[in-house]
Every structure is written in C-alpha cells, then in structure tokens.
Amino acid sequence: MSKLKVLYGELDEQVLTEQAASLEKAGHKVQTALGRKGVLEALKGGGLDLVVLGATLTRDDRHHLPYMVKKASKDTRVLVLHTDGSRHPYVDGNIDTGERIEKLLEKIAAPTTKAAAATAGK
C-alpha cells in the first residue's frame, strides 16, 4: 500500500485527533480540518490524494464537500465515513458510521471501484 497525503475532516475535535493519529500510525501523511470551513480552507493547498469526511460532519457538509473536493482536483479521492455517501456521485467510497479504524484503513488501501473500472481494459 502506498502512503497517501490525506485530508481528514470532522466536526468533533476529539474524534478528529484520535482517527488522524491512527491514519498517521499507518504511515499516511495526514492534514486535519475541523468542520466545513476547515476542509474548504485546506483544499486550497492542493496536492491531496484522499479526502476523508468523517461521520461527525453534518449531513449537509458530507453532501456539499465532495463536490468541492472534485472541483479543487478531479483526481483526489473522497471517502465518507457514513452510509449517506454511498449514493453520492462524487464520493469514491464510504464505510458505515462506527466501523473500526481497520476497516477505514482497508478501504483506503483498496482501489476505488470507479478507478478499477477505468483501468480494467488497460
């Protein structure tokens, strides 16, 4: 698994700190963002491989932010830590709220369905 530059956003600062530490322990370079405003500000820096939108963000944030991520860079993957990300056209993957951190790390390591389908014939 290659190490990624990850932007991780949550609305709950304690959850953000704990989950970010787990991502860093797995070897990823993690930038954290608190709330929608923090995520939007962090997107301006660019150069991200993955944006993880946590379950403590509001439903509206989890819906709006994937559009903003893809607007900033169409190649940046978006992973939502909530089931409401499953039907969003700009979300590359999601996991159920409350899943263990290992499930998140597995999802990050797996190629996205969209990416896998795009490269299947090559």
Side-chain angles (χ1 to χ4, degrees):
M1 172 174 81
S2 63
K3 304 307 175 192
L4 304 173
K5 184 172 180 189
V6 178
L7 172 62
Y8 180 59
E10 288 279 5
L11 195 54
D12 182 308
E13 195 167 1
Q14 181 179 351
V15 172
L16 179 66
T17 302
E18 291 169 4
Q19 298 282 65
S22 296
L23 289 168
E24 287 175 343
K25 186 176 179 181
H28 300 293
K29 182 176 179 187
V30 181
Q31 178 181 355
T32 59
L34 193 59
R36 179 192 288 211
K37 192 174 189 178
V39 172
L40 291 174
E41 191 63 34
L43 288 174
K44 293 177 183 176
L48 300 166
D49 299 308
L50 174 68
V51 174
V52 177
L53 301 175
T56 65
L57 288 168
T58 68
R59 184 173 193 264
D60 188 49
D61 290 345
R62 289 189 310 266
H63 178 76
H64 176 74
L65 288 170
Y67 290 108
M68 301 309 294
V69 171
K70 296 297 183 172
K71 184 177 179 181
S73 171
K74 65 180 173 69
D75 296 326
T76 302
R77 291 176 22 203
V78 178
L79 177 63
V80 177
L81 306 184
H82 197 282
T83 55
D84 66 6
S86 65
R87 296 183 311 265
H88 195 291
Y90 289 98
V91 170
D92 298 300
N94 72 293
I95 62 173
D96 290 336
T97 305
E99 285 282 352
R100 64 193 202 298
I101 189 67
E102 293 81 12
K103 181 73 171 182
L104 171 60
L105 296 173
E106 289 170 12
K107 193 73 165 190
I108 290 172
T112 65
T113 304
K114 292 174 188 175
T119 59
K122 296 180 182 178

